[in-house]
Amino acid sequence: MTRTPQEVFADHGQRLGTGDLDHIAGNYTEDTVLITPEGAFRGHDGVRRVIGRLLADLPDADWQLDPRFAGGVLFLQWTAATATHQVTDGTDTFVFRDGLISAQTVRYTLTDRPL
């Protein structure tokens, strides 16, 4: 069964909430490419590495998301804040294929939050 990008994205948010990287990686194809400021990461291992780092940087964050779909592409602007850190310029682009995420770019700047 092929899922729509909206369905995949909704499921992805629920999976991120579990923090289980194997579970999260299930929304990605085996040959996914993630492009980040640190470089390109491939496949399920790349997904686990990038998302694991983000979740470690921002545990229990307050996320604010603004998703916009155009065909098989999702443009996501987001911010996140914890007691000590914040992201003010998060921008992700997801490309969907056959009900899974086949490519993603991840851009964000993590800064210390003013006390």
Side-chain angles (χ1 to χ4, degrees):
M1 179 174 85
T2 300
R3 301 176 298 169
T4 67
Q6 290 89 337
E7 289 170 329
V8 177
F9 180 65
D11 182 51
H12 193 54
Q14 293 171 351
R15 290 179 187 228
L16 285 170
T18 70
D20 181 337
L21 296 177
D22 287 333
H23 188 58
I24 293 163
N27 266 327
Y28 291 85
T29 66
E30 193 66 52
D31 58 349
T32 297
V33 177
L34 276 82
I35 299 174
T36 76
E38 291 79 30
F41 298 84
R42 297 184 181 277
H44 288 162
D45 287 341
V47 168
R48 290 182 191 98
R49 187 187 221 174
V50 172
I51 294 177
R53 178 175 170 196
L54 180 60
L55 293 175
D57 284 344
L58 296 167
D60 302 320
D62 177 23
W63 301 88
Q64 302 297 319
L65 308 175
D66 182 18
R68 296 182 185 155
F69 293 93
V73 179
L74 162 65
F75 302 96
L76 179 66
Q77 291 182 303
W78 57 277
T79 60
T82 69
T84 58
H85 293 88
Q86 64 185 4
V87 173
T88 55
D89 58 352
T91 305
D92 289 13
T93 304
F94 296 81
V95 179
F96 297 87
R97 183 181 76 215
D98 298 329
L100 293 171
I101 300 165
S102 64
Q104 180 182 356
T105 60
V106 179
R107 294 186 179 90
Y108 69 95
T109 303
L110 180 67
T111 58
D112 291 336
R113 189 171 186 180
L115 299 178

